[in-house]
């Protein structure tokens, strides 16, 4: 992806995210059904969630600083780990050839796992294609790199949906999945995806999809599949779990309101109203699948792949508040957990 294309992609994303009702028609029926007006959404912050709120009680095990520091030793699982990225993901992105450092989706995570003698396979699927297309590419990558060996999959965000579909529907002969660990995967969809598509309006979607394709070269099948209505009504009923696969999941929660310039400020507010605690893009309730291992507190959707804001952590440290979450320690601990499970 060149710099100019990357810029166009960001511009298109801003159009998709911030377009208001004046550009894209009247308040959608879904928003009226929830009793939330557009003016309320744009001018008021999220309601505070009380300790008595059932959504807070449903957090499951709360994880605060368990992954603050990397331990000296971690056990390696029996089978290789496949890292499956989410929406708009990639393995390595070079914006200016050899002039600037590459950007890695799993920032430092693969290297840390490998340093502890854990074999890692990184898959690269079409960034915004449909779950079906992404799952087919995931299967090809695993088959080519695992070469007949069984694998454990760790998937971030939409990557968990790709893996579930691959295991349940594609069942590739050359791929034997022993476990799937999903991290902030929208198993039950995201109200923010519903909101965006409703605000844009079905009559405007073809035009914006065309802009997206021309600007990025990517397909658009993923966007409508991340809605709650699609996941709950279509995907989940047709994608049963494989009884031979162990399923684990983690969720995350932004504790305080995201700052003004955060990319999650708007989405966090909407999700808090409609689904409860969330990481800025995926709610805890939507993250739950299989054995729920716990909720990471004070962690947003990008912190989970080690894209943490270094400036934010520097300020916290200067204020005497040490870093409470280290993504590398988190994934090393997942590997250790898989080893303990005999996987």
């Amino acid at each position: 992806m060149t710099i100019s294309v990357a810029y166009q992609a960001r511009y298109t994303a801003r159009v998709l995210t911030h377009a208001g009702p004046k550009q894209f028609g009247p308040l959608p029926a879904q928003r009226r059904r929830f009793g939330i007006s557009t003016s309320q959404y744009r001018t008021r912050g999220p309601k505070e969630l009380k300790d008595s709120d059932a959504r807070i009680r449903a957090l499951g095990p709360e994880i605060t600083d368990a992954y603050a520091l990397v331990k000296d030793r971690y056990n390696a699982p029996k089978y290789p780990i496949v890292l499956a990225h989410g929406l708009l993901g990639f393995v390595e992105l070079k914006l200016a050839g050899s002039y600037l450092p590459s950007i890695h989706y799993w920032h430092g995570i693969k290297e840390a796992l490998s340093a502890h003698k854990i074999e890692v396979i990184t898959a690269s699927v079409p960034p915004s294609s449909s779950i079906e297309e992404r799952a087919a590419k995931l299967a090809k990558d695993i088959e080519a790199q695992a070469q007949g060996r069984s694998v454990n999959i760790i998937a971030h965000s939409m990557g968990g949906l790709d893996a579930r579909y691959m295991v349940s529907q594609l069942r590739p002969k050359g791929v034997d999945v022993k476990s799937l660990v999903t991290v902030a995967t929208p198993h039950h969809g995201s109200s923010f995806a519903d909101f965006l598509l409703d605000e844009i309006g079905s009559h405007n979607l073809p035009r914006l999809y065309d802009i997206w394709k021309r600007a990025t070269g990517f397909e658009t099948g993923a966007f409508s599949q991340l809605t709650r209505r699609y996941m709950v009504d279509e995907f989940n009923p047709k994608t049963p779990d494989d009884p031979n696969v162990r399923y684990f999941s983690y969720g995350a929660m932004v504790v305080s309101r995201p700052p003004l310039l955060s990319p999650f400020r708007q989405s966090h507010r909407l999700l808090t109203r409609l689904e409860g605690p969330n990481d800025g893009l995926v709610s805890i309730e939507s993250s739950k699948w299989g054995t729920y291992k716990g909720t990471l507190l004070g962690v947003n959707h990008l912190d989970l792949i080690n894209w943490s804001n270094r400036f934010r952590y520097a300020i916290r440290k200067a204020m005497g508040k040490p870093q409470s979450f280290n993504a590398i320690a988190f994934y090393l601990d997942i590997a250790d957990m898989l080893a303990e499970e005999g996987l």
Side-chain angles (χ1 to χ4, degrees):
M1 180 186 293
T2 65
I3 292 177
S4 59
V5 173
Y7 173 81
Q8 293 176 48
R10 290 196 299 271
Y11 175 79
T12 305
R14 287 199 298 271
V15 171
L16 288 168
T17 303
H18 298 296
K22 291 183 180 179
Q23 295 97 320
F24 299 113
L27 180 69
Q30 183 193 20
R31 298 302 302 285
R32 292 196 295 271
R33 190 165 66 250
F34 283 118
I36 304 170
S37 70
T38 300
S39 61
Q40 284 178 317
Y41 173 75
R42 299 189 188 283
T43 60
R44 295 176 58 191
K47 296 178 181 178
E48 293 296 326
L49 294 169
K50 307 299 183 183
D51 289 342
S52 59
D53 192 313
R55 295 177 298 181
I56 289 291
R57 294 198 301 270
L59 290 180
E62 297 179 18
I63 305 169
T64 53
D65 57 359
Y67 308 123
L69 300 173
V70 176
K71 297 183 295 187
D72 292 333
R73 185 176 182 277
Y74 294 89
N75 294 314
K78 184 186 303 184
Y79 308 109
I81 286 178
V82 176
L83 295 177
H85 67 70
L87 179 70
L88 304 183
F90 48 87
V91 174
E92 182 180 13
L93 183 62
K94 294 185 177 181
L95 297 178
S98 60
Y99 295 102
L100 292 175
S102 301
I103 300 173
H104 295 263
Y105 185 90
W106 302 96
H107 181 61
I109 294 167
K110 177 183 178 180
E111 292 77 9
L113 290 169
S114 298
H116 283 79
K117 303 187 184 308
I118 300 166
E119 186 175 355
V120 181
I121 293 170
T122 51
S124 180
V125 305
S128 54
S129 294
S130 67
I131 294 171
E132 292 82 358
E133 293 173 294
R134 288 166 56 98
K137 180 58 164 55
L138 176 63
K140 287 183 179 179
D141 283 5
I142 295 175
E143 187 170 9
Q145 297 181 61
Q147 299 182 340
R149 291 171 297 168
S150 301
V151 297
N152 298 301
I153 299 177
I154 300 178
H156 175 244
S157 197
M158 187 179 179
L161 305 180
D162 305 334
R164 283 180 52 203
Y165 185 87
M166 180 192 72
V167 168
S168 177
Q169 296 297 318
L170 300 184
R171 304 173 195 164
K173 292 182 179 179
V175 176
D176 178 33
V177 177
K178 293 299 185 182
S179 72
L180 170 59
V181 182
T182 59
V183 180
T185 290
H187 293 289
H188 308 283
S190 171
S191 295
F192 189 58
D194 291 87
F195 167 76
L196 285 178
L197 294 185
D198 285 345
E199 284 288 282
I200 291 168
S202 58
H203 57 293
N204 287 299
L205 279 174
R207 175 170 60 88
L208 288 182
Y209 281 165
D210 183 62
I211 293 172
W212 176 263
K213 288 181 181 180
R214 285 190 283 110
T216 66
F218 301 153
E219 295 299 319
T220 59
F223 301 120
S224 63
Q225 291 183 325
L226 295 174
T227 61
R228 286 178 66 80
R229 50 182 170 253
Y230 177 79
M231 290 303 301
V232 173
D233 296 339
E234 297 187 46
F235 184 82
N236 287 339
K238 297 177 182 178
T239 314
D241 288 349
D242 185 328
N244 297 314
V245 176
R246 301 279 301 280
Y247 293 82
F248 306 93
S249 59
Y250 292 85
M253 172 184 175
V254 176
V255 176
S256 57
R257 184 178 180 180
L260 184 62
L261 298 180
S262 169
F264 303 122
R265 187 174 175 87
Q266 187 176 15
S267 54
H268 176 265
R269 177 164 51 183
L270 179 75
L271 287 170
T272 298
R273 285 177 180 272
L274 301 184
E275 298 183 43
N278 64 87
D279 67 0
L281 282 181
V282 180
S283 71
I284 291 169
E285 281 304 307
S286 193
S287 299
K288 293 179 178 179
W289 199 264
T291 301
Y292 189 65
K293 302 295 289 184
T295 299
L296 301 160
L297 301 183
V299 179
N300 69 40
H301 201 70
L302 291 181
D303 291 337
L304 291 166
I305 49 173
N306 206 27
W307 282 35
S308 302
N309 187 313
R310 308 303 178 195
F311 178 73
R312 183 183 75 200
Y313 280 128
I315 293 296
R316 285 178 56 86
K317 186 175 181 179
M319 296 173 62
K321 299 178 180 178
Q323 180 177 342
S324 60
F325 176 74
N326 183 322
I328 288 175
F330 173 57
Y331 287 96
L332 285 169
D333 195 81
I334 291 178
D336 192 80
M337 178 271 291
L338 292 172
E340 290 184 4
E341 294 286 344
L343 299 167

